[in-house]
Amino acid sequence: MEQAPKLPTDINGLQPHEVEKSPEITKVNKYCSFPFLNQYKWWLQMAIYSFLLIAGLSVGNLLGRVYFDNGGKSKWMATLVQVVGYPILFPFQWITTTKQVTTAESNPNKRRPLVLASVYISLGIFVAQNCMLYTIGLQYLPVTTYTLICASQLGFNALFSFFLNKQKFTPYIVNSVVLLTLSSVLLIFQTEPGDSNKTSKTKYMIGFLCTLGASAGYALLLSLTQLAFTRIIKKETIRAILDMAIYQCMVATFVILIGLFASGEFKKMNKEMNEFKLGKVSYVMNLIWTAVSWQAFSVGCVGLIFKISSLFSNVICILGLPVAPVLAVIFLHDKLTGLKAVSMMLAMWGFVSYAYQHYIDDLNNKERKNTNSEGVSEMAIIERG
């Protein structure tokens, strides 16, 4: 008896009727139907997240500097505004729908709420501690010096990514790490006058060490966030990004509020507002827009971690470093001294080195995909023969 002809199968060995029912293949087919549109959408998302990160970082740092320059003295309040703005994300969280694109996402009941809660709580406490270190650094350092010291976080991030996220080191990445770390270490010798805030050498050293410690902590936070996404959350939705940003900040807000009331600084808030050089309205608006700026930064940062990696998110932070110093020179009358210029050039050189490595990796990935496609085509021809 003649056997019935065998139905053609796809590269995964599924029959045509099985392909339609497979969520993984459905996802691939959806993307492959309009590859140009999918690529355009991906780049648009990257541009939006990058803009939010750079804009939020630059504006948040500048407004924080304005707060201290015009009579603001509360470290706890300056730290609180970095996380307390999370309620503005609630409408976006509400209107965001969860797309079921994988089997894991279609079974959310399998996720343990206590595990997710422990992740958000742990990262939230970490965020609160790190924000306080950043606040001390911003209080004692000019914006140009402060932002350039933050370049060291890429070096720390590369190290943590190697151990936690299996990031591979290449000569270009090592070169990037060395240059960016050197660019921040040079600033310990910065003593030129003319910056927007003048502090003693002791306070300058404290600000430098706190900012350097905060950079290391932030780098670790990024790697831990990426690890949480890949190992625990495993959701490919914007809702997951918003949840991470909101719940982290919610926990951090609670921790910082405890510090604010325990320190007694809340009793001085009314006096601080009345004595603010720019007036009460400017005082309130400064705090509000600082909070909004840091939430934009938080969403952009988490979005880039989710879509690509913690190291790429950090690279965009470094790319945005020249923005705040330039704005500080224009609006706060900081001086871009020779040492700062050299430090900035090293930071940009380090970024270019990493960007070139990313370019090489992209070329290699495309070459592997083309090789795999040719191999699949040859197998199909052989099977039909």
Side-chain angles (χ1 to χ4, degrees):
M1 180 181 294
E2 184 177 357
Q3 294 182 351
K6 184 178 180 181
L7 293 175
T9 61
D10 75 330
I11 60 175
N12 293 304
L14 298 177
Q15 300 295 337
H17 66 280
E18 295 176 321
V19 171
E20 296 179 357
K21 296 180 181 179
S22 173
E24 291 81 4
I25 303 302
T26 302
K27 177 182 177 182
V28 172
N29 289 339
K30 179 182 70 173
Y31 290 159
C32 292
S33 300
F34 303 98
F36 174 77
L37 294 179
N38 178 61
Q39 184 179 14
Y40 175 79
K41 179 181 178 181
W42 187 88
W43 281 109
L44 179 61
Q45 289 177 332
M46 293 306 98
I48 292 174
Y49 289 138
S50 298
F51 173 78
L52 290 174
L53 189 153
I54 293 175
L57 178 65
S58 302
V59 175
N61 284 333
L62 282 177
L63 291 178
R65 182 70 264 148
V66 170
Y67 170 80
F68 286 119
D69 285 349
N70 291 276
K73 299 177 181 178
S74 175
K75 294 184 179 67
W76 287 105
M77 177 57 68
T79 304
L80 181 64
V81 293
Q82 297 179 42
V83 295
V84 76
Y86 67 88
I88 67 172
L89 300 179
F90 284 154
F92 301 99
Q93 185 187 41
W94 181 72
I95 63 177
T96 303
T97 56
T98 302
K99 297 180 181 180
Q100 296 181 352
V101 295
T102 64
T103 305
E105 289 178 10
S106 61
N107 295 281
N109 293 329
K110 291 184 178 181
R111 309 203 180 283
R112 292 176 292 178
L114 291 179
V115 175
L116 287 177
S118 64
V119 169
Y120 295 138
I121 292 173
S122 300
L123 294 180
I125 294 174
F126 203 162
V127 167
Q129 175 185 339
N130 224 49
C131 286
M132 174 55 76
L133 291 176
Y134 273 128
T135 298
I136 297 173
L138 186 60
Q139 184 179 18
Y140 292 154
L141 298 175
V143 173
T144 48
T145 305
Y146 169 82
T147 52
L148 288 171
I149 292 176
C150 291
S152 63
Q153 68 193 32
L154 183 58
F156 291 117
N157 192 206
L159 180 64
F160 293 133
S161 295
F162 175 77
F163 291 105
L164 298 178
N165 310 126
K166 298 180 180 180
Q167 176 71 41
K168 293 182 179 180
F169 277 107
T170 66
Y172 292 109
I173 291 181
V174 172
N175 182 59
S176 175
V177 169
V178 172
L179 289 173
L180 289 165
T181 302
L182 180 61
S183 71
S184 63
V185 172
L186 281 178
L187 296 174
I188 192 65
F189 304 105
Q190 172 64 37
T191 58
E192 292 96 329
D195 288 317
S196 57
N197 72 321
K198 302 177 179 62
T199 60
S200 65
K201 185 63 176 178
T202 301
K203 289 184 177 180
Y204 186 92
M205 287 291 297
I206 293 174
F208 178 88
L209 294 175
C210 285
T211 306
L212 196 63
S215 298
Y218 177 73
L220 178 58
L221 177 66
L222 292 181
S223 295
L224 291 176
T225 301
Q226 181 179 349
L227 192 65
F229 270 121
T230 56
R231 298 286 183 86
I232 300 175
I233 298 176
K234 299 179 181 178
K235 290 184 179 180
E236 299 183 9
T237 63
I238 297 178
R239 177 63 180 269
I241 297 173
L242 293 174
D243 286 347
M244 177 64 76
I246 289 173
Y247 296 135
Q248 270 188 3
C249 290
M250 186 182 297
V251 174
T253 297
F254 179 74
V255 173
I256 295 170
L257 281 174
I258 293 176
L260 177 64
F261 285 98
S263 65
E265 287 190 2
F266 74 97
K267 299 177 181 179
K268 304 176 183 179
M269 291 297 98
N270 189 48
K271 180 181 178 182
E272 182 177 280
M273 181 173 62
N274 292 330
E275 296 178 353
F276 196 66
K277 295 178 182 179
L278 300 179
K280 296 181 181 179
V281 176
S282 296
Y283 178 83
V284 175
M285 295 303 295
N286 178 278
L287 296 181
I288 290 175
W289 287 110
T290 302
V292 172
S293 299
W294 283 117
Q295 287 308 305
F297 168 80
S298 179
V299 172
C301 176
V302 175
L304 290 177
I305 293 173
F306 172 70
K307 288 294 183 179
I308 305 180
S309 69
S310 63
L311 191 59
F312 184 84
S313 179
N314 221 333
V315 165
I316 297 300
C317 286
I318 306 305
L319 179 61
L321 281 179
V323 177
V326 170
L327 294 178
V329 170
I330 297 173
F331 296 106
L332 302 182
H333 308 294
D334 279 11
K335 289 185 178 180
L336 192 60
T337 61
L339 190 60
K340 292 177 184 177
V342 172
S343 181
M344 183 179 293
M345 291 297 295
L346 289 175
M348 293 302 297
W349 185 7
F351 166 75
V352 171
S353 180
Y354 177 86
Y356 185 69
Q357 179 61 53
H358 183 73
Y359 171 75
I360 293 176
D361 291 341
D362 187 54
L363 290 180
N364 292 334
N365 289 334
K366 289 181 180 179
E367 184 177 352
R368 282 195 295 268
K369 288 180 181 179
N370 292 334
T371 302
N372 292 336
S373 299
E374 293 175 359
V376 171
S377 300
E378 292 178 359
M379 290 177 61
I381 293 175
I382 293 174
E383 289 180 359
R384 285 198 299 268

